[in-house]
Amino acid sequence: MGRFRTNLLLCASTGCVSNKSLELKEAIEIELKKHSLQNEIKIILTGCNGFCANGPIMVVQPEGIFYQFLTVDDVPHLVEEHFLKGRPVEKLMYIPPKKETPVPKMSDIEFFKKQQLIALSNRGSIDPENIDEYIGKDGYRAMVKALTAMTPEEVIEEIKSSGLRGRGGAGFPTGRKWEICKNAREDEKFIICNADEGDPGAFMDRSIVESDPHCILEGMVIGAYAIGASAGFVYIRDEYPLALKRLIHAIKQAKKYGLLGKDILSTGFTFDISVNRGAGAFVCGEETSLIHSLEGNTPEPRTKPPFPAFSGYRQKPTNINNVETWANVPRIIQHGAKWYSEIGTETSKGTKVFSIVGKLKNTGLVEVPMGITMREIVFDIGGGILKDKKFKAVQIGGPSGGCIPDHLLDTPIDYESLTKAGAIMGSGGLIVMDEETCMVEVARYFLSFVQDESCGKCPPCREGTKHMLNILTEITEGRGKEEYIDLLQNMGMLIKETAICGLGNTSPNPVLTTIRYFRDEYEAHIKEKRCPARTCKTLIHYSILEDKCTGCHLCFKNCPTQAITGEVKKAHFITQQKCIKCGMCFDVCRFDAVRYE
Amino acid sequence: MNEQSEKIDQIIEKFKNEKGTIIGLMQDIHGEYRYLPEEVLLRVSAELDIPMAKLYTLATFYKSFRLEPVGKHHVRVCIGTACHVNGATKIVETLERELGVKSGQTTEDNQFTLETVNCLGACALGPLVLVDGEYHGKIDQGKLKKLLNKYR
Ligand SMILES: Cc1cc2nc3c(=O)[nH]c(=O)nc-3n(C[C@H](O)[C@H](O)[C@H](O)COP(=O)(O)O)c2cc1C
Ligand code: FES
């Protein structure tokens, strides 16, 4: 990066690209040329900074100035003011909620302050498509160290004593898993990187692959060396085209540099990685199902044991880890187990990447030390609830997880505390819900997801979740009966005990925790036929407040079913029989005259 | 058709040589036609000696495979959790109403195919709609109409 006085780190990950960051790049290039600055200022396309909601994002280095919501129209002014005259443009900077003065530097912004980057240590600071930049940031040094100065046993010992646990959901100690696979008595062994990221509403793994693909490759080479595997696979979700492209590109570059493939760095160690795309089935994230999918067989899970460490891909010992788990490996080898194990809590070491989304002011991707509280994530990093509405719950762990209510917000994030609260660590999806989110409907949502994704092999999951879904639908549509809550709990417990894979036996969790913490909402739906969050369509109706309606006629024009009558400048009226409760009138009204309850 | 037929030859040849996976093979075919035509599956089955039943099992197991062609524009609405709590249901309903089809179907004039998908990985921008591979974040009913008009 040397000869340029300024580097513009422009995010080119899925979020910012969808907010037109590539068009922005072109516009900046043109403008820089216009002022003959192209030899002084360089644009680097980087991976995700995490602050996706405010994209496109650009960080100006070395000063560390953070610009957000950039548009092509802002470019001429920005280039002239900041890059020519040296006056950073305040109106393009971040302004904290309820404040007026902007915060110029990225490092001073609350969203970034409490984060600690390990898995994402290169995010936003290197060009993910250029291996030299990864190497420039000490990339592949850990691999060299492992391959040339450590025995496989020493590598495993280091990972074991770091305390690293699997980031894909269950939190199994990674070093131990490696050791089991290493000790399995077979010549041929395989390793897999699970990049299927099925939890809807979570994008940690996509972001890691897009912003730093080489760290995963490096982690996998180290793992393969320790375990004694000669081939590896990355199984990546079909919905992630950009991550796929960057990964394939990274593998090509690494091979060209002799960092992957035959006789890596002349150490005699040979290891190759191939990439396989998923095809949109959630259950394929489950390890045995994933392996069946790789083999080209029907991707149904099977009962364990035998675990993949003994019998996995083509019945050979196979070690499978999540993307984020692999991303931690090079950093642990490089900085040492002691360094890593000093971060976090007694039982959960290191950091965890979370995608924080939903009804939150600052949505995006964050990496925080284990042990941080949910409150800090939601209110300090996340900036609190959108439109200052009231917080209701955080859903963690997706369809297998549970929700954390208000009174448990000070729960420190670690595997054990979350399980105690009825949730799970999961893969890192945090979905924040406010007073307008109906918890019964959320439970129904997750069950319909599971119903849809159940592979159908075992009856508890195939039939049980269907019945639970039917019951929840009855409740949300106002036909609930009082005995339904007990029934849901009993069925839930039964499915938990009898389904054959993790998909089925965790699927009742969202229902069970919402009953545990929000029983009153279930009761309101059942006994009073009322949805307190005003979400369940059958239980609400729209009306127009006569005294507020100015007769502007806008709702009349927009109503798709002509359910609204009224003349210009006179109060309007909704015919309930025609109303389909689409909420259009509420959305378009500028006078707060539409009410729903 | 001829050109595509040649492509299929290449795809089958590639599979034979590299010992790739069946899923990869089907994805390549899908990439070519944007669905899995029956006649192509029959050919694959005959040439590679893979039972048709197996191909159908896989084609119906995985969500990304379609057995019917898509319209000119492929509209996919994210119904992942983040998009869901931000109003994705409304977006799906509006699109179904505007296009006059249910999710999974193609309009009669073959202009639009509407589908839902469980998370596109841009959850911070939800609700999210993907039209022909282009992401449109923070969408609402008003923006949706404009968006459709752009493609109409
Ligand atoms: C239904 C289901 C879906 C899963 N989906 C994923 C996934 O998308 N990504 C992932 O890494 N692990 C997923 N897992 C967990 C894997 O089975 C496996 O435990 C994990 O990849 C192991 O890696 P780790 O030890 O590094 O966490 C899923 C498990 C179940 C039961
Ligand atoms: S939930 Fe919609 S993109 Fe993830």
Side-chain angles (χ1 to χ4, degrees):
Chain A
M1 296 188 196
R3 70 196 171 86
F4 294 90
R5 74 168 155 97
T6 297
N7 285 309
L8 307 180
L9 304 172
L10 179 62
C11 176
S13 265
T14 300
C16 283
V17 168
S18 75
N19 279 327
K20 313 244 177 314
S21 66
L22 296 181
E23 279 92 327
L24 204 61
K25 174 179 181 259
E26 270 175 36
I28 298 174
E29 269 170 355
I30 292 172
E31 207 59 28
L32 288 177
K33 263 207 189 114
K34 219 188 264 172
H35 296 284
S36 308
L37 290 170
Q38 74 271 27
N39 294 327
E40 292 174 48
I41 298 175
K42 184 179 175 191
I43 308 173
I44 299 169
L45 293 180
T46 71
C48 180
N49 276 295
F51 209 171
C52 312
N54 293 20
I57 281 167
M58 186 169 85
V59 183
V60 183
Q61 293 292 19
E63 308 105 291
I65 306 279
F66 178 90
Y67 288 123
Q68 60 174 18
F69 292 123
L70 291 177
T71 65
V72 169
D73 295 341
D74 295 327
V75 171
H77 183 67
L78 175 70
V79 170
E80 185 174 335
E81 280 296 302
H82 189 161
F83 307 137
L84 205 61
K85 300 182 181 158
R87 292 191 296 235
V89 180
E90 290 202 349
K91 76 171 174 64
L92 300 173
M93 293 174 186
Y94 172 75
I95 301 176
K98 296 197 199 120
K99 298 261 168 61
E100 269 149 35
T101 34
V103 183
K105 283 199 179 170
M106 179 164 173
S107 51
D108 293 331
I109 295 174
E110 213 56 48
F111 181 83
F112 296 103
K113 254 187 184 165
K114 285 202 169 173
Q115 296 195 43
Q116 184 171 2
L117 305 183
I118 296 175
L120 294 172
S121 50
N122 283 334
R123 80 164 186 203
S125 62
I126 60 166
D127 174 354
E129 299 192 10
N130 185 347
I131 188 170
D132 293 329
E133 293 201 6
Y134 180 70
I135 293 173
K137 291 254 181 175
D138 290 344
Y140 288 108
R141 273 177 94 159
M143 183 184 97
V144 173
K145 180 175 168 186
L147 261 51
T148 59
M150 292 170 89
T151 63
E153 289 76 13
E154 281 167 345
V155 173
I156 290 185
E157 200 43 50
E158 197 73 7
I159 299 295
K160 266 169 87 179
S161 52
S162 74
L164 176 65
R165 296 170 66 171
R167 300 293 193 241
F172 192 84
T174 306
R176 248 183 46 219
K177 200 192 247 185
W178 288 15
E179 191 173 50
I180 296 169
C181 192
K182 177 182 169 50
N183 292 340
R185 256 173 277 156
E186 280 272 4
D187 289 341
E188 201 178 17
K189 289 173 187 166
F190 298 102
I191 62 169
I192 297 173
C193 170
N194 187 343
D196 198 39
E197 194 157 56
D199 179 3
F203 58 103
M204 301 74 52
D205 297 346
R206 169 183 71 68
S207 189
I208 296 175
V209 178
E210 279 178 16
S211 51
D212 200 7
H214 286 286
C215 78
I216 297 155
L217 304 183
E218 185 177 2
M220 287 178 77
V221 178
I222 296 170
Y225 170 73
I227 291 163
S230 56
F233 304 92
V234 182
Y235 188 92
I236 187 164
R237 213 170 159 240
D238 196 34
E239 288 81 357
Y240 292 172
L242 186 59
L244 175 75
K245 182 185 135 208
R246 292 202 175 144
L247 192 64
I248 292 175
H249 183 72
I251 291 177
K252 251 190 218 144
Q253 284 183 324
K255 278 191 184 164
K256 206 169 120 201
Y257 277 56
L259 300 166
L260 194 65
K262 267 211 183 85
D263 190 17
I264 297 174
L265 295 172
S266 315
T267 56
F269 178 64
T270 292
F271 174 69
D272 211 346
I273 299 177
S274 53
V275 180
N276 287 72
R277 279 155 64 199
F282 175 64
V283 76
C284 286
E286 196 278 337
E287 52 195 24
T288 60
S289 167
L290 188 152
I291 288 168
H292 290 155
S293 174
L294 273 182
E295 294 167 339
N297 295 319
T298 315
E300 285 169 352
R302 61 163 172 79
T303 37
K304 292 184 282 192
F307 287 92
F310 294 106
S311 176
Y313 183 68
R314 297 199 193 133
Q315 279 74 52
K316 300 288 182 193
T318 303
N319 177 79
I320 174 163
N321 281 118
N322 165 264
V323 168
E324 191 184 332
T325 315
W326 288 118
N328 274 295
V329 168
R331 280 85 198 214
I332 293 172
I333 296 298
Q334 192 182 353
H335 302 290
K338 188 168 172 292
W339 161 82
Y340 192 81
S341 63
E342 277 165 7
I343 305 163
T345 69
E346 198 46 45
T347 59
S348 310
K349 300 297 183 191
T351 56
K352 177 78 195 85
V353 182
F354 289 105
S355 72
I356 53 171
V357 294
K359 306 287 189 76
L360 203 64
K361 285 201 178 111
N362 304 334
T363 52
L365 203 79
V366 301
E367 180 170 2
V368 287
M370 296 277 193
I372 193 171
T373 64
M374 203 59 104
R375 188 183 301 282
E376 288 172 277
I377 296 186
V378 174
F379 289 94
D380 298 342
I381 299 176
I385 307 300
L386 216 55
K387 298 185 191 148
D388 291 316
K389 294 244 159 80
K390 203 164 156 257
F391 169 86
K392 186 183 275 179
V394 187
Q395 212 285 341
I396 176 167
S400 305
C403 55
I404 307 280
D406 197 27
H407 71 273
L408 293 178
L409 267 180
D410 291 310
T411 307
I413 295 208
D414 74 13
Y415 290 92
E416 283 66 29
S417 318
L418 288 170
T419 309
K420 222 172 93 198
I424 58 164
M425 177 74 79
S427 56
L430 287 186
I431 291 147
V432 176
M433 304 176 173
D434 68 3
E435 54 189 310
E436 291 181 352
T437 317
C438 170
M439 299 316 281
V440 187
E441 205 278 331
V442 165
R444 202 198 84 88
Y445 166 80
F446 280 118
L447 268 193
S448 77
F449 176 86
V450 170
Q451 236 318 281
D452 216 30
E453 295 290 347
S454 169
C455 76
K457 181 167 172 175
C458 76
C461 176
R462 183 184 67 231
E463 301 299 328
T465 59
K466 190 184 209 158
H467 285 291
M468 286 181 78
L469 175 62
N470 287 344
I471 294 173
L472 285 163
T473 307
E474 294 269 301
I475 298 177
T476 53
E477 293 185 352
R479 296 185 301 273
K481 298 192 183 128
E482 284 193 36
E483 64 268 25
Y484 279 2
I485 300 183
D486 285 345
L487 192 57
L488 282 173
Q489 282 178 318
N490 292 338
M491 287 178 76
M493 293 314 290
L494 192 69
I495 295 171
K496 265 174 106 100
E497 280 162 21
T498 51
I500 67 166
C501 90
L503 173 66
N505 53 42
T506 57
S507 64
N509 288 353
V511 184
L512 297 176
T513 56
T514 47
I515 295 181
R516 177 164 159 195
Y517 297 122
F518 299 97
R519 202 183 175 101
D520 54 329
E521 285 196 33
Y522 280 83
E523 285 172 351
H525 283 77
I526 294 173
K527 292 184 190 158
E528 304 163 39
K529 311 291 174 215
R530 183 173 67 83
C531 173
R534 303 183 301 166
T535 313
C536 296
K537 256 171 96 176
T538 330
L539 304 179
I540 54 169
H541 73 278
Y542 285 81
S543 58
I544 295 174
L545 299 170
E546 245 176 83
D547 52 330
K548 284 204 173 164
C549 178
T550 63
C552 75
H553 221 44
L554 201 59
C555 57
F556 176 94
K557 281 190 207 143
N558 279 286
C559 177
T561 58
Q562 284 91 40
I564 296 176
T565 45
E567 288 167 33
V568 180
K569 293 202 176 147
K570 282 188 187 151
H572 283 44
F573 178 78
I574 300 177
T575 310
Q576 296 301 328
Q577 291 84 339
K578 282 193 182 172
C579 176
I580 55 166
K581 298 166 187 176
C582 67
M584 187 61 115
C585 50
F586 180 84
D587 289 350
V588 298
C589 182
R590 287 169 298 184
F591 305 99
D592 283 332
V594 180
R595 192 173 59 167
Y596 63 99
E597 57 197 347
Chain B
M1 214 48 195
N2 250 342
E3 207 176 297
Q4 262 176 336
S5 173
E6 258 170 48
K7 272 267 169 63
I8 298 304
D9 284 339
Q10 286 169 12
I11 291 171
I12 292 177
E13 210 45 45
K14 180 177 143 201
F15 178 81
K16 278 185 190 157
N17 296 339
E18 289 182 22
K19 286 301 288 167
T21 64
I22 303 183
I23 318 288
L25 169 88
M26 291 169 73
Q27 279 167 332
D28 286 346
I29 297 170
H30 207 275
E32 197 55 41
Y33 293 90
R34 300 203 293 163
Y35 79 111
L36 298 172
E38 189 180 348
E39 64 275 13
V40 177
L41 290 185
L42 280 167
R43 219 174 107 193
V44 168
S45 168
E47 286 189 34
L48 296 173
D49 201 16
I50 303 169
M52 227 11 210
K54 176 158 187 175
L55 293 178
Y56 266 111
T57 306
L58 295 174
T60 51
F61 195 100
Y62 292 104
K63 283 229 168 56
S64 330
F65 293 133
R66 292 181 57 89
L67 291 170
E68 275 154 33
V70 275
K72 190 161 161 223
H73 300 295
H74 196 180
V75 182
R76 300 202 287 164
V77 190
C78 174
I79 54 164
T81 321
C83 291
H84 178 78
V85 302
N86 279 320
T89 314
K90 255 189 199 175
I91 302 299
V92 177
E93 284 168 2
T94 310
L95 278 168
E96 290 187 335
R97 208 170 54 235
E98 286 286 322
L99 298 175
V101 290
K102 288 272 162 226
S103 158
Q105 297 176 335
T106 302
T107 54
E108 226 158 65
D109 60 4
N110 211 25
Q111 283 294 301
F112 294 96
T113 297
L114 179 64
E115 269 178 0
T116 57
V117 40
N118 292 324
C119 189
L120 294 162
C123 321
L125 308 177
L128 197 71
V129 174
L130 193 64
V131 186
D132 301 337
E134 201 182 319
Y135 294 76
H136 302 273
K138 301 217 166 132
I139 204 102
D140 56 30
Q141 297 198 40
K143 280 193 204 162
L144 207 53
K145 280 201 175 158
K146 268 191 221 146
L147 185 66
L148 282 184
N149 286 338
K150 209 176 106 186
Y151 290 96
R152 259 177 178 146

